[in-house]
Amino acid sequence: MIAVQSSVARLGVALATPLALVIGVYLLFAGHNHPGGGFAAGLVFGCVLALHRLTAIQSNFDPSKVSAVGILIVVVTAALPLFWGDALLDQLVQSVEIPVLGKVKSGTALPFDIGVTLIVLGLVAALLDGLGVRSAPQSGDSK
Amino acid sequence: MIWWILSAHVVGMCAAALLGRVSMHRGLGAAAVAPALTAAWAAQQLFVDAEPTSVGIDWVAELGIGFQFRSGPLALLLTLLVSGIGALIFVYAMGYFASDAAGSVRFPVTLLAFSTSMLGLVLADSIWTLFIFWEFTSITSFLLVGHKNTSAPVQVAARRALAITGAGGLALLAGLLILQGETGTVSLSNLPAVSGTAGAVAAVLIMCAAATKSAQVPFHVWLPGAMAAPTPVSAYLHSATMVKAGVILVALTGPSFADVTAWKTLGMTFGIVSMMWGGFIALRHTDGKLILAWGTISQLGLLITLLSIGTPKAVFAAISILFAHALFKAALFCVVGEIDVRTGTRDVRELGGLRRSMPVAFAVAVAASLSMAGVPPLLGFAAKEAAVEAVLKLDGVEQFMAAVGVFGGSVLTVAYTLRFVLLTFSGSPVIDVRPRRWAMSAPSVILSGLGLILFFWMGVSNSVVIPAAVQLNPASAEFELLRWPGLKTAFFISAAIVATGALIGWLLANRPSRAPDALGADVVDSLLDRILRGAVVVTARIQHGSLPVYLATMAFVAAVAGAILVVDVDFDKLVLWDTPIQGLLAAIILGAVLGGATVRSRLGAALTLGAVGLAMAGLFALQGAPDLALTQLLVETIVIVAFVLGLGHLTREFPAVNRSWHAIRIAVAGAGGLVVVLALAAASASPTGQPPLEDLEREAVAEGGGNNIVNVILTDVRALDTLGEVMVLATVAIGILALANLRSIAGQR
């Protein structure tokens, strides 16, 4: 890879990763009330993955599994209301008091958004695989 | 009950698939259960003269699309034939196939799938239900004809059958659409009469569809080829049931077309030509199955002729013959299959003297053949007698044409039947015979025995046939099948037919014969080959594989299509900018675009595209759309990273292109860009009312439980769109992975 030789780049990416993940998770949860959402969160995670691939940091990541879990979550969330007679994709909003955080309001839009995140991440990962980014080190390992 | 029956068939298919893994015979046995139960139900319903029941589910009620079934008298008669013969054929197949035969899962399941499709077809009460099952029978027939799927001639025969019946399916679709448009109803049990040009077009289309399915000249060429199928399939699909689908279609839609001249003319032409030509060719063939197949073409022609004539007596005769034919033709095919299995050949020139070595088969063949020839004391005699009387009741040219067809066709039927029986069973034994298999003998004994029993037990035959004929034409209630019609004109004509036919058959049986060439089949095959070769050429032209040309084509077409928007642009409403910062960002975009268009390095071009995207994100942010800006920013980041990764596979610089292609690309790109500008200007020049912002704000908090309207729209208000979009993303991901896998597989080779 282009940045394989640069340990500065590798270290930088490694250090930035936890921060980027936190931002991604923030965007996912904040999305309902502030800018962000499942799509944006998926893209942030995708960026992290791309940077890892760029600097040849190994991560075990199967795009098809991530996409599959995402599809499952989205479809189940969408179809569940049908079982108690509501419309497809009907929302359920629930407010609960949690000791430290105070009043937290959330709905079934959250799992739906998580599913979207996983699907977007799966797509980015598939794109990276399709570009042949992962193949070089792995085919060496498998011998 | 109809739902239970159809479900039982689906369960049967699963059971056959599971038990077929163990052995062919268990799979066939499992598959036989559902048809046997269904036949018992149909017999019981007919016996107690039950009221017709209707069931159905709507799908698109406004368009009349859905599944509708109805157990009318005709439907019950056909159900009895389809399922009763079906159950017997499954038993017969146990004798035909060795227990460990190849395709032991595929064959029983496909045959039962056909049986189910045919059952759906005969029970259908809506034209669209009929159409769906019609197509199912074409597909399952294709699979069954191509059962020995490793042999090239079999593949060609299966393809020919599918192409012709499939083309007929398209004609049927068009015809039914016109019919629905004209009558405004989809129910088969009360189709109003149609007339006029639209009625005539629908009549021609539906009659042609029926002619492809029922193998009428000149669409018959697939049926002899379909004899490449295993004999149980030929006995079941290509004599008793599937080829009757066209006849059933003509019977059901015929009352609507009573006033359309084209319907009767076309139907009688198909029928009479097929009757004569089929009988004539059957006289010359030497393969037992092909003799019977050409005979089927001839008999189907008789049915189509009678139903096209449409008089009460003709309809009554057609239903009677349909009933009798299903029994005797299936029995004859069973005998030919048994001869094939026990002697190793179906060629009548190599056979002879089988009456001693295969006495049961001989008895069956004689009974079935006499029924087919219309000789008492068999059901075929009473049915044929009704047909002769129907012809005598006509007048003028119609009577003359019908008489030539029905009498001439019947003479030929008697002749080829006698020739077949004489060549196969008479004379001295010339071939060794393997032991009898009861699984093969029993069904054929039952089928041909029924032809005999039902003649003496004529009340049962009448109680089955008359209500079905009355359903199609109420005036046919006055007729009935007779054991002894009396010494009337019809009887003398019948006697003359049998005598003439017997003479011709006896003379021909003593002459050496050579099988005729398959006329027409080659033409269809070469036509199909040419279409396929043409498709290869056209595809190679259109799908040339050059990405730049694809992109240029798409951009050019979009530019041409969007050019019309220029009339919608209102130049008075356009402003230069909302804030000068927009101008600055626009300048950055323009500079980046010009740089991207001229730079030679691929990486440089990718970076200029990134600059365009980032400036666009700035424009979004300025307009108060932080969500859009955030997403744009993230997408740009990912795209640039992906570019950097992907460019590693390519040369650093763009390859040189020639001058004219370069000019075309600039022109197309310029035009595409211009049209996008025009479209946006046109869109902003004609606002359609105010956006419902306040409603959205209120509802977002109250219903969606969030303050970010964009996200509430995505996950709640328009969540179905989002669902669709993420499915597209997931599909793209799967596609990319599949392509990458293909490449790595190709790389390993």
Side-chain angles (χ1 to χ4, degrees):
Chain A
M1 288 305 108
I2 296 162
V4 169
Q5 298 92 340
S6 163
S7 43
V8 176
R10 294 190 75 156
L11 192 63
V13 170
L15 285 176
T17 298
L19 195 62
L21 292 181
V22 169
I23 291 175
V25 172
Y26 164 78
L27 285 175
L28 175 60
F29 282 93
H32 226 49
N33 293 311
H34 305 284
F39 197 79
L43 288 173
V44 170
F45 295 142
C47 281
V48 173
L49 187 69
L51 287 172
H52 277 213
R53 293 285 157 83
L54 198 59
T55 51
I57 297 175
Q58 289 290 319
S59 47
N60 280 330
F61 202 85
D62 187 349
S64 48
K65 274 185 194 148
V66 176
S67 297
V69 173
I71 293 170
L72 202 66
I73 294 177
V74 166
V75 170
V76 167
T77 319
L80 265 186
L82 294 175
F83 286 99
W84 38 91
D86 288 334
L88 183 77
L89 287 157
D90 202 39
Q91 260 246 68
L92 188 77
V93 183
Q94 195 75 42
S95 291
V96 280
E97 290 287 339
I98 294 178
V100 186
L101 297 173
K103 191 177 168 203
V104 173
K105 196 167 77 168
S106 185
T108 48
L110 184 63
F112 190 76
D113 247 358
I114 292 174
V116 172
T117 307
L118 291 177
I119 289 174
V120 172
L121 177 58
L123 174 63
V124 173
L127 265 171
L128 295 171
D129 276 10
L131 287 169
V133 178
R134 196 180 53 172
S135 56
Q138 276 217 342
S139 60
D141 295 344
S142 63
K143 267 181 191 170
Chain B
M1 193 64 198
I2 293 174
W3 291 130
W4 285 110
I5 288 167
L6 292 173
S7 325
H9 279 76
V10 175
V11 173
M13 275 184 253
C14 299
L18 287 175
L19 290 173
R21 281 175 203 285
V22 183
S23 79
M24 180 68 124
H25 288 184
R26 296 210 184 166
L28 289 167
V33 176
L37 292 174
T38 308
W41 168 77
Q44 183 264 343
Q45 293 281 304
L46 281 169
F47 184 70
V48 302
D49 205 6
E51 279 293 301
T53 53
S54 296
V55 293
I57 42 166
D58 279 332
W59 181 33
V60 188
E62 296 79 19
L63 298 175
I65 300 175
F67 284 106
Q68 302 292 338
F69 300 101
R70 183 181 156 88
S71 62
L74 180 62
L76 285 175
L77 162 63
L78 295 168
T79 302
L80 190 58
L81 290 177
V82 168
S83 296
I85 296 179
L88 290 175
I89 290 295
F90 279 111
V91 175
Y92 177 77
M94 286 190 198
Y96 184 82
F97 286 107
S99 185
D100 55 349
S104 53
V105 173
R106 186 159 50 94
F107 185 81
V109 175
T110 320
L111 195 58
L112 186 57
F114 164 76
S115 186
T116 315
S117 316
M118 200 62 212
L119 191 64
L121 191 150
V122 302
L123 287 172
D125 190 35
S126 140
I127 54 177
W128 298 122
T129 313
L130 177 97
F131 175 74
I132 289 168
F133 285 107
W134 177 283
E135 294 292 71
F136 270 135
T137 58
S138 292
I139 295 166
T140 42
S141 160
F142 165 72
L143 294 172
L144 289 166
V145 171
H147 177 69
K148 296 170 205 151
N149 54 11
T150 48
S151 145
V154 172
Q155 290 171 351
V156 171
R159 187 186 72 172
R160 193 190 310 140
L162 183 67
I164 293 176
T165 51
L170 289 178
L172 179 63
L173 177 63
L176 292 180
L177 281 171
I178 298 173
L179 191 64
Q180 186 187 359
E182 282 294 297
T183 62
T185 175
V186 295
S187 169
L188 275 171
S189 46
N190 47 3
L191 273 179
V194 291
S195 55
T197 316
V201 173
V204 169
L205 285 168
I206 291 179
M207 183 56 88
C208 284
T212 58
K213 198 81 162 178
S214 287
Q216 297 296 287
V217 177
F219 303 119
H220 65 290
V221 290
W222 68 268
L223 188 62
M227 293 301 128
T231 303
V233 173
S234 309
Y236 190 28
L237 275 70
H238 304 125
S239 72
T241 55
M242 189 191 91
V243 287
K244 299 275 169 56
V247 175
I248 297 166
L249 180 70
V250 172
L252 290 173
T253 55
S256 295
F257 296 120
D259 303 334
V260 181
T261 329
W263 174 261
K264 193 189 271 188
T265 316
L266 190 62
M268 285 183 71
T269 313
F270 275 138
I272 291 170
V273 172
S274 304
M275 236 187 298
M276 300 301 285
W277 184 246
F280 182 65
I281 300 292
L283 275 178
R284 302 177 54 204
H285 265 290
T286 53
D287 180 326
K289 258 176 110 172
L290 285 175
I291 295 174
L292 293 180
W294 283 93
T296 306
I297 294 173
S298 170
Q299 298 273 331
L300 291 168
L302 174 60
L303 291 175
I304 296 272
T305 308
L306 290 170
L307 286 168
S308 310
I309 292 171
T311 58
K313 185 79 196 189
V315 169
F316 175 77
I319 299 297
S320 314
I321 293 179
L322 187 147
F323 183 49
H325 178 260
L327 297 177
F328 64 66
K329 197 42 95 41
L332 281 173
F333 265 104
C334 287
V335 167
V336 171
E338 192 181 343
I339 292 172
D340 190 9
V341 166
R342 288 175 63 188
T343 66
T345 181
R346 303 192 300 252
D347 193 324
V348 290
R349 288 171 300 188
E350 298 171 18
L351 295 168
L354 292 181
R355 71 178 185 284
R356 285 182 207 285
S357 45
M358 295 177 65
V360 176
F362 175 60
V364 168
V366 166
S369 300
L370 290 178
S371 191
M372 178 148 91
V375 175
L378 288 139
L379 190 59
F381 166 72
K384 187 62 77 62
E385 202 63 16
V388 173
E389 278 176 24
V391 172
L392 292 178
K393 277 178 187 266
L394 301 172
D395 47 25
V397 184
E398 204 172 281
Q399 185 183 37
F400 177 72
M401 295 306 297
V404 169
V406 173
F407 302 163
S410 301
V411 168
L412 292 173
T413 304
V414 176
Y416 68 70
T417 310
L418 185 67
R419 172 173 169 268
F420 167 70
V421 174
L422 285 177
L423 284 176
T424 315
F425 291 100
S426 76
S428 50
V430 291
I431 197 159
D432 292 333
V433 175
R434 280 187 277 276
R436 177 181 301 126
R437 300 182 185 178
W438 275 110
M440 294 181 88
S441 303
S444 57
V445 168
I446 294 174
L447 285 169
S448 65
L450 278 174
L452 189 65
I453 294 166
L454 286 172
F455 179 81
F456 291 107
W457 207 0
M458 199 62 94
V460 174
S461 311
N462 275 320
S463 71
V464 170
V465 169
I466 294 173
V470 168
Q471 182 192 336
L472 296 174
N473 194 329
S476 46
E478 55 172 302
F479 307 113
E480 59 175 340
L481 290 170
L482 297 169
R483 270 190 295 269
W484 175 242
L487 290 174
K488 291 189 293 188
T489 325
F491 179 75
F492 291 118
I493 291 177
S494 292
I497 287 172
V498 173
T500 322
L503 183 67
I504 297 175
W506 182 74
L507 287 174
L508 283 177
N510 295 320
R511 275 188 61 209
S513 50
R514 194 178 59 84
D517 298 328
L519 273 177
D522 303 346
V523 181
V524 175
D525 290 339
S526 75
L527 191 70
L528 287 173
D529 280 335
R530 262 178 226 172
I531 290 173
L532 289 176
R533 279 201 298 274
V536 170
V537 172
V538 170
T539 310
R541 282 282 156 76
I542 299 172
Q543 302 291 340
H544 40 66
S546 162
L547 184 61
V549 180
Y550 285 150
L551 289 175
T553 312
M554 285 195 278
F556 178 72
V557 172
V560 171
I564 189 72
L565 288 169
V566 72
V567 298
D568 291 329
V569 180
D570 186 350
F571 287 96
D572 297 338
K573 288 192 180 164
L574 295 179
V575 292
L576 194 55
W577 52 53
D578 297 323
T579 72
I581 304 175
Q582 285 176 332
L584 184 67
L585 288 169
I588 294 174
I589 292 176
L590 269 178
V593 165
L594 285 175
T598 48
V599 73
R600 293 297 305 270
S601 134
R602 289 185 194 266
L603 187 61
L607 291 177
T608 58
L609 283 181
V612 172
L614 294 180
M616 284 302 300
L619 281 176
F620 290 145
L622 276 182
Q623 285 289 340
D627 268 295
L628 215 49
L630 175 69
T631 310
Q632 173 77 18
L633 204 66
L634 289 166
V635 168
E636 282 308 329
T637 315
I638 291 240
V639 167
I640 291 185
V641 175
F643 259 126
V644 170
L645 289 169
L647 287 180
H649 299 289
L650 299 171
T651 52
R652 276 175 184 270
E653 306 229 318
F654 288 110
V657 292
N658 69 38
R659 201 168 279 275
S660 57
W661 175 225
H662 201 236
I664 291 173
R665 280 169 32 166
I666 289 174
V668 169
L674 203 62
V675 163
V676 171
V677 172
L678 278 178
L680 290 174
S684 55
S686 49
T688 54
Q690 283 291 316
L693 258 185
E694 285 178 11
D695 288 349
L696 275 174
E697 269 176 34
R698 201 176 53 245
E699 293 289 319
V701 179
E703 293 282 321
N707 297 321
N708 180 353
I709 299 174
V710 175
N711 207 313
V712 171
I713 290 175
L714 285 176
T715 58
D716 194 353
V717 185
R718 310 284 310 177
L720 192 60
D721 292 353
T722 311
L723 186 64
E725 282 156 16
V726 295
M727 286 306 158
V728 171
L729 293 187
T731 313
V732 170
I734 292 166
I736 293 171
L737 290 172
L739 282 175
N741 275 343
L742 272 182
R743 194 174 56 187
S744 66
I745 291 167
Q748 280 163 11
R749 282 203 182 124

